Amino acid sequence: MHFTADKNTFLLQLKKSFAIVKKSDVNPIYENILIECNNDDVCLYTLNEIIAIKSIVNKGVKIESTGKCMLNAQIFYKIIDKLSDNTFSFETIDDNMVKITSGSFVANINLFSYEEINIFDFETSEFNNTISGVFLKEINDKLLKIIPASKILETSPFRGVLLDTSRTENLIEAVATDSYHLGCISQKFSGDKFRIIVNSEIIKILHTQNTNSEDLLISLKNNRLLVKIADTLYNCSLIEGAYPNTNKIIEAQYQFNFVVNRSIFINAIDKAIALSDDSSSTPIVNLTVLDHLLNIVGHNVEKGSSNEDIDVTSNIDSKIKILLNASNLLSLIKNIDTENVLFKLNGSFSPVIINNENNSNYISLILPIRRS
């Protein structure tokens, strides 16, 4: 195989494939890149245990002869990235070496056998579902904060984001929870019915590489998610297992509500955390609401305590006290993008719904802490 290419155009696609390359003692293919030269374009393939990427270079390349080869991805990326000239030549020699030439620079790189490598299938009859790039950004920015960080849960449904189009007609819902707090984003959708759990790391990769916020074309094949963004294709593994049914909690009727200014509330929680009881790694704040006042208490046996009242609008005429994980509470409040935040609840030990005052497409939930 032999082709010449514009360095900068080629590098844009190479970066996408190289982003998932990792050193691995389990599977050496994770360290390599497969390059396939067709009559019209050059395809770059990389994969790891959760995702495979096919980047297509169809601009700025001139095909001299077709073929396929595999080489170390890190070496190849570093060489192309550091080239001084704007163009380079890529040519295989005797099926065991590739020669890269650019100006006066020449590199000979050993090749690896690719005959027994199973590159994931990127072909599909049609991408008949579309998810907007804006929706993907919301999932990345808001829901991934809720995903538990523990590596112990890598294969748990909690490590992923639920994408569900089967529950509500013409709507796609994205849900993330760690069983203690939850976020749900919805958007209009027309397409197939599905209910899948996507690894949070895959969400990050897709968002990071979708620099122009383009729509994602998606399809399901062999229990994997195929995604197309411009000239790049992704074959993504799905997390198996049953995602917890949160619909009844979210859609329940809540008797009480109060509305608080977002900035003032965040400031008050930050101060309470500074003096909350940190005997464990979980800071806790005590909220008491009655009529037009919300009392926020932070307490630490050694450091002291804080106590602050802030104004709210509420329909609560009998005192309600709630203990909440302050870190989880803050992460949900900071996801709200309006001036005021609406809280809905049924009592001291009921789930607390948090969203903006205008009931947008983002809903979040947090469970109170029970202490004997």
Side-chain angles (χ1 to χ4, degrees), residues 143 145-149 153 156-160 175-183 242-246 249 324-325 328 332 350-352 365-370:
L143 297 191
K145 298 175 184 177
I146 298 170
I147 303 292
L153 296 174
S156 163
F158 291 141
R159 286 296 300 159
V175 181
T177 182
D178 61 358
S179 79
Y180 298 103
H181 66 318
L182 172 150
Y243 208 83
N245 187 352
T246 58
I249 299 177
L324 295 175
N325 179 309
N328 290 348
L332 297 181
S350 79
V352 181
L365 176 149
I366 187 170
L367 297 179
I369 296 170
R370 293 174 179 265

Side-chain angles (χ1 to χ4, degrees), residues 65-78:
S65 61
T66 62
K68 187 186 297 185
C69 69
M70 188 170 71
L71 65 159
N72 182 278
Q74 186 172 31
I75 292 173
F76 181 57
Y77 176 80
K78 284 185 175 180

Side-chain angles (χ1 to χ4, degrees), residues 1 34-37 45 66-70 92 95 111 114:
M1 62 182 288
L34 180 68
I35 301 176
E36 183 178 30
C37 189
Y45 299 87
T66 62
K68 187 186 297 185
C69 69
M70 188 170 71
T92 55
D95 294 329
L111 298 177
Y114 60 85

